[in-house]
Amino acid sequence: MSSIIFSIISIYIFIVIGFIAKKTFKEQIDDKTITIINVYFLQVFLTFWGLLLHPVDITLLFAPSIYFSIVIVALSISIFVAKKLFKDKKEYSIATVSAIIGNTGNLGIPINIAIFGEQSIPYTTVVNLVNIFIVYTVGVYFYSRGSFSVKTSLKNILKLPILWTAILAILLSIYGYKPSKIVLNTLMMGAYASMTMQLFLFGIYLYSTKLNELSKTLTTWVMSFKFILLPVVTFIVLYFVELNSMVKGIIFIELMMPLAVANVNIASLYECRPKLVTALVFISSIIFLGAIFVGVKILNFL
């Protein structure tokens, strides 16, 4: 359990640094510029590095296919319920998609290593790949819909270089490309810069966020969906699927991850109330500190 706690603390350090930086320098720090640099440039390195670090093994794809199926079921429920609860377009967009975009990479991978060991890495890698796809297709569409038309939102998906980078990296991996150590080191530098900047940006937005201004309905819905409805749907699906218990556990834990900082990046990019999204990410991160230990106990019943 201590390894889980230390994995979480090591990530939160950079969030605190971002918070202190914004508090100290205030308007001298332009959060939109940081978002653009991260999403359009540094995350290209992160995507290449993550997908080329380990070869994509077709035999591993059953686990992410289950993950993707659960997300689609959960998204369908979310679309239906959120439409009835939220009339404001931006609140509807946030309510629909934020909870399904979990922190499967920065937090999910080290947490699963702490629980299952390094044998979990191939599975968490491919699950994170699916999550990246969800973030930059479904996530971009809904956050963009808070401000733009359906047509423009679909175009916004195609404009992001990360989607094309992921496709290229997968093709290179399938055809057996193995990057040299120099190439991997270069990609790793950009990848870690991207992850650090993403957490830093979260801290920046957190400084300007006022939790007492949050919509109680939106907060209750997103947190209930994230930590009650989604785990219940996941448990039911996994209970009736014939799959290795460790793989089931990995999928369950990945879907329990708190809201990803990527939510803030995309909300900021398309001006879909990024400060509100930051507050939701923060609240989910706090709840997760207790929820993860409940989740570990539930693994015994899968």
Side-chain angles (χ1 to χ4, degrees), residues 35 58 170 202:
T35 301
I58 301 299
I170 291 169
F202 178 48

Side-chain angles (χ1 to χ4, degrees), residues 117-231:
E118 291 189 355
Q119 63 266 34
S120 66
I121 292 176
Y123 297 99
T124 52
T125 300
V126 290
V127 166
N128 190 50
L129 166 60
V130 172
N131 193 53
I132 290 170
F133 174 78
I134 292 167
V135 169
Y136 292 105
T137 51
V138 177
V140 167
Y141 175 78
F142 277 100
Y143 278 117
S144 184
R145 280 290 289 131
S147 303
F148 302 98
S149 65
V150 172
K151 185 178 179 180
T152 304
S153 297
L154 291 172
K155 284 183 178 178
N156 286 337
I157 294 173
L158 299 177
K159 284 179 182 177
L160 288 178
I162 299 167
L163 181 63
W164 303 109
T165 300
I167 293 170
L168 177 59
I170 291 169
L171 290 174
L172 288 172
S173 184
I174 289 173
Y175 283 100
Y177 171 69
K178 293 181 180 179
S180 66
K181 188 176 180 180
I182 294 173
V183 172
L184 273 180
N185 285 341
T186 304
L187 293 175
M188 184 175 68
M189 287 173 64
Y192 276 96
S194 174
M195 288 187 282
T196 303
M197 190 173 285
Q198 195 162 269
L199 296 168
F200 189 84
L201 182 67
F202 178 48
I204 289 172
Y205 275 113
L206 194 59
Y207 171 74
S208 306
T209 301
K210 296 179 181 178
L211 296 180
N212 59 350
E213 294 180 1
L214 278 175
S215 162
K216 290 182 180 178
T217 304
L218 180 61
T219 305
T220 302
W221 164 249
V222 173
M223 296 308 133
S224 298
F225 187 89
K226 176 79 254 187
F227 294 109
I228 299 175
L229 183 59
L230 187 54

Side-chain angles (χ1 to χ4, degrees), residues 38-53:
N38 192 25
V39 172
Y40 282 93
F41 297 97
L42 290 179
Q43 290 203 3
V44 169
F45 288 89
L46 177 61
T47 305
F48 260 119
W49 179 71
L51 296 177
L52 294 178
L53 189 60

Side-chain angles (χ1 to χ4, degrees), residues 1-13 107 110-115 285 288-290 292-293 296:
M1 291 299 177
S2 60
S3 56
I4 296 176
I5 295 170
F6 285 123
S7 295
I8 296 171
I9 291 173
S10 64
I11 291 168
Y12 282 34
I13 287 172
L107 190 57
I111 290 292
N112 274 290
I113 291 173
I115 297 171
S285 300
F288 174 77
L289 295 176
I292 182 59
F293 297 104
V296 171

Side-chain angles (χ1 to χ4, degrees), residues 10-30:
S10 64
I11 291 168
Y12 282 34
I13 287 172
F14 295 104
I15 297 172
V16 173
I17 293 172
F19 182 92
I20 294 171
K22 185 65 174 178
K23 185 177 181 180
T24 304
F25 298 100
K26 294 184 171 61
E27 298 308 315
Q28 290 178 268
I29 295 179
D30 183 7

